[in-house]
């Protein structure tokens, strides 16, 4: 309710692209939005790695993302699409860009469409509350006795496999797992990590503990979060309408 799913973000992005296309059309220019490649399944690392197949293939690294195909644009299209960004110089600060006598938005059609669509649904105060709850609940959950206990069980499971980590986040932050090529050892460690999470029920215990903390925190800030949730729903509804009318 207080954050968008990957599918939601794609709906919003597509709506922004339609608005960009319409803006370009007003300048007598065509613009065909590039289609995003099929996204790799989202990897939520809040509780460390959780996907066994991903662990076996990529260790602790994020799966590679497909590149978004680049659209072939003329100089005029680039100028109108990106506005002052297309010129890439500080000297453009007070420059008024035009195309065939019509003023180009400073942020171009793309930036103008994105910023113009998002602005009515911004709620900085609500977003800050949601972010604070997300951070605080995560930190507090690790102090819950049931979570500390399941961490110990996970650590014991890892030691049986000859890996010495106190918590899943320690494994995730191993320096050698953050750079260079993925080694066979990293993959084996990652597989053991996920296996021990499954064996101990760590993910379920940790999730339930954090959810309980969040529910109590949400009660305190219910009014601010209600407004944020409503704006999210309205924004998605507006995006879907743009796509339906396109």
């Amino acid at each position: 309710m207080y954050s968008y799913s990957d599918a939601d973000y794609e709906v919003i992005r597509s709506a922004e692209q339609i608005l960009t296309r319409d803006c370009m059309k007003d300048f007598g220019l065509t613009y065909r939005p590039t289609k995003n490649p099929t996204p790799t399944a989202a990897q939520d690392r809040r509780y460390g790695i959780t996907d066994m197949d991903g662990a076996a293939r990529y260790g602790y690294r994020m799966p590679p993302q497909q590149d978004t195909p680049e659209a072939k644009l003329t100089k005029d299209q680039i100028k109108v699409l990106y506005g002052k960004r297309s010129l890439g110089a500080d000297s453009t600060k007070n420059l008024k860009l035009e195309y065939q006598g019509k003023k180009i938005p400073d942020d171009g059609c793309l930036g103008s469409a994105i910023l113009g669509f998002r602005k009515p649904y911004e709620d900085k105060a609500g977003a800050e509350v949601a972010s604070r709850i997300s951070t605080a609940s995560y930190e507090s959950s690790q102090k819950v006795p049931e979570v500390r206990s399941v961490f110990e069980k996970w650590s014991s499971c890892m030691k049986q496999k000859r890996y010495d980590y106190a918590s899943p986040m320690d494994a995730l932050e191993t320096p050698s797992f953050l750079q260079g090529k993925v080694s066979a050892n990293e993959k084996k460690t990652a597989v053991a990590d996920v296996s021990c999470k499954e064996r101990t029920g760590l993910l379920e215990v940790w999730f339930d503990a954090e959810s309980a903390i969040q529910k109590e925190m949400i009660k305190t800030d219910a009014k601010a979060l209600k407004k944020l949730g409503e704006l999210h729903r309205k924004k998605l509804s507006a995006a879907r309408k743009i796509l339906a009318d396109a």
Side-chain angles (χ1 to χ4, degrees):
M1 182 183 296
Y2 308 122
S3 62
Y4 296 110
S5 67
D6 288 343
D8 292 340
Y9 276 119
E10 182 57 26
V11 169
I12 292 169
R13 190 203 74 86
S14 297
E16 291 167 347
Q17 288 288 305
I18 294 299
L19 294 175
T20 302
R21 181 200 67 186
D22 292 346
C23 174
M24 294 288 283
K25 189 183 296 183
D26 288 341
F27 284 90
L29 296 170
T30 59
Y31 174 67
R32 181 176 296 176
T34 57
K35 289 187 177 181
N36 277 354
T38 303
T40 304
Q43 299 291 314
D44 185 352
R45 299 297 180 95
R46 192 171 184 83
Y47 305 137
I49 57 172
T50 59
D51 176 55
M52 184 64 79
D53 182 62
R57 298 177 66 185
Y58 309 113
Y60 286 88
R61 319 302 174 92
M62 295 295 289
Q65 299 290 325
Q66 296 181 43
D67 293 330
T68 300
E70 293 185 5
K72 295 181 179 179
L73 303 172
T74 66
K75 288 184 179 180
D76 287 339
Q77 286 175 315
I78 291 173
K79 180 180 178 181
V80 177
L81 184 63
Y82 296 111
K84 289 183 177 179
R85 284 191 300 154
S86 67
L87 303 179
D90 294 335
S91 59
T92 65
K93 185 175 181 181
N94 297 316
L95 178 67
K96 291 184 178 180
L97 287 180
E98 293 184 348
Y99 177 72
Q100 293 187 349
K102 184 174 181 178
K103 186 181 181 300
I104 300 171
D106 288 346
D107 296 309
C109 278
L110 180 60
S112 179
I114 292 173
L115 295 174
F117 179 67
R118 294 179 183 179
K119 192 170 183 61
Y121 309 103
E122 289 179 350
D123 180 14
K124 186 176 181 181
E128 288 177 350
V129 169
S131 178
R132 172 171 53 79
I133 289 176
S134 178
T135 300
S137 65
Y138 178 75
E139 293 175 350
S140 297
S141 68
Q142 296 179 60
K143 301 173 185 177
V144 173
E146 290 82 0
V147 175
R148 294 176 67 87
S149 176
V150 82
F151 275 12
E152 291 176 1
K153 292 177 182 178
W154 175 89
S155 181
S156 177
C157 176
M158 289 293 281
K159 283 180 180 178
Q160 292 175 18
K161 300 175 184 291
R162 300 183 180 180
Y163 301 107
D164 189 13
Y165 294 105
S167 81
M169 305 321 290
D170 291 340
L172 188 66
E173 296 167 2
T174 301
S176 61
F177 297 165
L178 300 175
Q179 57 188 358
K181 293 183 177 181
V182 181
S183 66
N185 178 58
E186 178 180 342
K187 293 178 182 178
K188 288 176 62 178
T189 306
V191 167
D193 182 343
V194 177
S195 176
C196 285
K197 283 190 176 88
E198 293 176 348
R199 182 181 300 181
T200 60
L202 183 147
L203 298 174
E204 293 79 7
V205 172
W206 196 352
F207 176 81
D208 289 345
E210 186 176 13
S211 294
I213 293 170
Q214 286 185 349
K215 287 178 181 177
E216 291 304 311
M217 296 181 75
I218 286 171
K219 289 179 184 178
T220 304
D221 292 293
K223 186 175 180 180
L225 292 172
K226 180 180 179 181
K227 179 182 177 182
L228 180 65
E230 289 174 349
L231 286 171
H232 278 194
R233 287 191 291 273
K234 288 179 179 178
K235 184 176 181 179
L236 270 175
S237 177
R240 292 191 179 105
K241 187 176 188 307
I242 290 170
L243 295 181
D245 294 342

